[in-house]
Amino acid sequence: MTNKTAITVAHGDGIGPEIMDATLRILDEAGAALQLEEIKIGKAVYESGVPSGIPDEAWESLRKTRVFLKAPITTPQGGGYKSLNVTIRKSLGLFANVRPCVSYAPYVETKHPNMDLVIIRENEEDLYGGIEYRQSQDVMASLKIISRPGTERIVRYAFEYARANGRKKVTCMTKDNIMKLSDGLFHRVFDEIGEEYKDIEQNHMIIDIGAAKVASAPHLFDVIVMPNLYGDIVSDIAAEVTGSVGLGGSSNIGADFAMFEAVHGSAPDIAGQGIANPSGLLLGAVMMLVHVGQGEVAGKIHNAWLKTIEDGIHTGEIFRAGTSKEQVGTDGFCKAVIERLGAMPDKLKAANYNGVGAGGMTLPPLKPRVEEKKERVGVDINLNWDGSADELAAKILPCVADDLDLSMISNRGVKVWPGGQPETFCADNWRLRFMGKSGPIKTSQVIALMDRLNHADMNFTKAVMLHTFDGKPGFSAAQGE
Ligand code: NAD
């Protein structure tokens, strides 16, 4: 008898239980060798008073099996509930979110018949750190974190994925014309790691035009790698462009764990009606079978699914009179796929996972860090102020000792002193930049400055040390500086 792979399964909320039952039936009929461990997560768990939505026993199962097939869950509105997806991704170190976005023309209506791309989204960093502050009565701030190791891992994953899956091109998207340090690092690491993958075509696009091109000309793309927030947005655009959000599966991959799911949510509007399309979760399960080394069964299911779509057996949200042949519910669709196990699609590109290795990809170790000389050269101090920039400067200048300069004041990122434009709107949180007059400064100089500001009743909210690395500024200039 074949050894069964233990996996953790959650039926989720809304349409989750319906599409999970259908998916598991197909997996079973196809001969997937799996041993299921069921866990409860989601709405009922949140409402029983577990704010994370996932109880301790569930973590034990996940730690044991390391493979998780998850139906969508509902995050209750209000009440400060944490997103379960973000908790699971970050707790298990699932750094890569992989979303294939394929159109199935002419069988599923889409504006873009030739779309076949994969979005690889960084899953842990960026604005999803959730590090936010209220800085004043009027100003909120959110911190965007991009790290070199985090970027190296996701970029390398994208290139390795392209190689392992016969993809020819990797496109990186960032906004490094504005975020020169954070997005600049992502772009730079993409270029550096790309040097090791010369067999793969590679390019970079600014995210705004890149996202527009995904919507208008998706055939231009093959694999796209992006920081977290852009990846979140662009992958939903891409899923929509394929013709239905109900068709997309996705995997979340880490060094030790992997989670597989549908792209869509729990669709409470159609829950319990038996009409939900199980395809997204099923295609997530296909990715899971490849991951656990059951590529042959994965191919069998994927091809039976393609044949079902080709045969025009469609759930309501993709059913179109003329193109589709028979409208079915979740159960009817499930039976149609089971009947076609062993069949191949006639026109759509058949799936073949026979050569794809199990266990995801083993990435080489991170490149050793190149230490650069770090020197403290100044400090940015944020404070609340309701007057003008000139009045603020007049109040601050007497607090500045001989060894430091007040080099500029900015508001919402724009320089407003010295000089500045009278038209610039200023909120009540200001950033003051102090630089050492003669090279590097000491922490004690900053503390002495803050002490003098404190005695002058200045209401400061944040101080950030400014460093150079091998002489290059590790901080951005203000707009207009
Ligand atoms: P949704 O994806 O659940 O639904 C959007 C629309 O698509 C709805 O009209 C729905 O009926 C339709 N739809 C989605 N999946 C379908 C399917 N398989 N078959 C047919 N139609 C389908 O998005 P939403 O309504 O914004 O979110 C509902 C809930 O899901 C929210 O609580 C949200 O937090 C949660 N959610 C969970 C996940 C997840 O667990 N991975 C992801 C996204 C949203």
Side-chain angles (χ1 to χ4, degrees), residues 242-270:
T242 62
S244 167
V245 74
L247 297 177
S250 116
S251 66
N252 295 271
I253 306 287
D256 301 312
F257 294 91
M259 175 171 87
F260 302 85
E261 59 184 343
V263 165
H264 60 75
S266 57
D269 53 335
I270 57 165

Side-chain angles (χ1 to χ4, degrees), residues 179-198:
M179 282 157 279
K180 297 189 169 71
L181 293 188
S182 53
D183 280 22
L185 175 65
F186 199 97
H187 185 175
R188 201 162 64 247
V189 170
F190 175 77
D191 288 345
E192 280 170 25
I193 298 295
E195 288 290 318
E196 297 174 36
Y197 297 87
K198 284 295 189 196

Side-chain angles (χ1 to χ4, degrees), residues 15 19 70-77 85 89 99 236 240 244-247 259 261-271 275-281 315-318:
I15 59 169
I19 59 172
K70 175 183 153 294
I73 55 118
T74 303
T75 312
Q77 293 293 305
N85 282 330
R89 277 180 212 146
R99 288 189 180 191
D236 269 21
E240 194 66 33
S244 167
V245 74
L247 297 177
M259 175 171 87
E261 59 184 343
V263 165
H264 60 75
S266 57
D269 53 335
I270 57 165
I275 58 171
N277 189 346
S279 300
L281 188 59
T315 43
E317 93 293 357
I318 57 167

Side-chain angles (χ1 to χ4, degrees), residues 1-5 28 31-35 294:
M1 207 184 111
T2 329
N3 278 341
K4 290 191 172 182
T5 306
D28 191 40
L34 300 172
Q35 191 186 324
Q294 299 187 32

Side-chain angles (χ1 to χ4, degrees), residues 112 114-117 169-171 173 201 203 205 209-210 212-214 216-224:
H112 298 292
N114 298 320
M115 175 168 186
D116 180 5
L117 59 86
K169 179 176 166 188
V170 179
T171 302
M173 292 187 191
E201 194 189 332
N203 67 336
M205 290 177 92
I209 188 65
K213 288 284 179 204
V214 168
S216 70
H219 60 275
L220 295 177
F221 300 100
D222 199 349
V223 173
I224 309 177

Side-chain angles (χ1 to χ4, degrees), residues 263-317:
V263 165
H264 60 75
S266 57
D269 53 335
I270 57 165
Q273 299 174 26
I275 58 171
N277 189 346
S279 300
L281 188 59
L282 183 65
L283 293 181
V286 165
M287 296 166 93
M288 177 190 76
L289 289 171
V290 177
H291 180 84
V292 301
Q294 299 187 32
E296 203 174 314
V297 189
K300 188 168 159 190
I301 295 172
H302 200 158
N303 287 322
W305 179 83
L306 288 165
K307 178 77 174 133
T308 309
I309 294 293
E310 257 186 22
D311 286 349
I313 300 175
H314 294 167
T315 43
E317 93 293 357

